[in-house]
């Protein structure tokens, strides 16, 4: 396959891959320009393959940017724990338990995710849980002071 001639589409795909690698910091701007020029004049797959041989495979890149389902679940649990205490707060003796769950799952969700949406959900759960814990502490202090 190394000696098979490439099409313009193949050359463009190689340049897109090089651009993605440059955007990730894997290539410097000079390396990207040099390799792009070589890609546009490449005649065979062997020449194109040599330009991207030291970069992660497309499958690896796709896996790295794919949705992390376990991380999404952690983020959703954080959000649920961080906000579930709100309507239940007046009815619970210790409403900080769900807030603590929001904080714990929020921290785990932030560590497990690189996607913005999942990180945002985990952060909202973390903040909501922290507010729930703080309000529970304030509530306990007022109960002790009033007694």
């Amino acid at each position: 396959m190394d000696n098979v001639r490439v099409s313009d589409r193949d050359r463009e795909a190689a340049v897109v891959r090089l651009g993605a690698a440059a955007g990730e910091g894997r290539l410097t701007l000079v390396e990207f320009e040099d390799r792009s020029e070589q890609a546009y004049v490449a005649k065979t797959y062997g020449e194109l393959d040599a330009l991207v041989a030291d970069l992660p495979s497309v499958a690896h890149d796709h896996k790295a940017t794919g949705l992390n389902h376990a991380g999404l679940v952690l983020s959703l649990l954080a959000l649920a724990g961080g906000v579930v205490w709100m309507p239940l707060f007046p009815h619970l003796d210790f409403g900080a338990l769900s807030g603590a769950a929001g904080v714990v799952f929020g921290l785990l969700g932030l560590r497990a995710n690189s996607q913005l949406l999942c990180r945002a959900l985990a952060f909202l759960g973390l903040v909501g849980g922290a507010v729930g814990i703080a309000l529970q502490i304030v509530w306990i202090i007022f109960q002790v002071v009033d007694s």
Side-chain angles (χ1 to χ4, degrees), residues 25-104:
R26 298 180 194 276
L27 296 175
T28 65
L29 185 58
V30 173
E31 289 173 316
F32 169 69
E33 290 173 357
D34 289 343
R35 291 185 189 200
S36 295
E37 288 175 12
Q38 293 174 34
Y40 282 122
V41 297
K43 297 203 183 318
T44 65
Y45 282 108
E47 293 172 7
L48 285 181
D49 289 344
L51 297 174
V52 296
D54 61 340
L55 301 175
S57 67
V58 176
H60 180 269
D61 288 344
H62 177 70
K63 183 178 179 183
T65 60
L67 182 61
N68 177 352
H69 294 291
L72 176 62
V73 169
L74 288 171
S75 296
L76 291 173
L77 286 171
L79 187 62
V83 299
V84 86
W85 64 268
M86 291 178 193
L88 299 176
F89 183 73
H91 309 290
L92 297 175
D93 290 334
F94 192 66
L97 187 60
S98 65
V103 170
V104 170

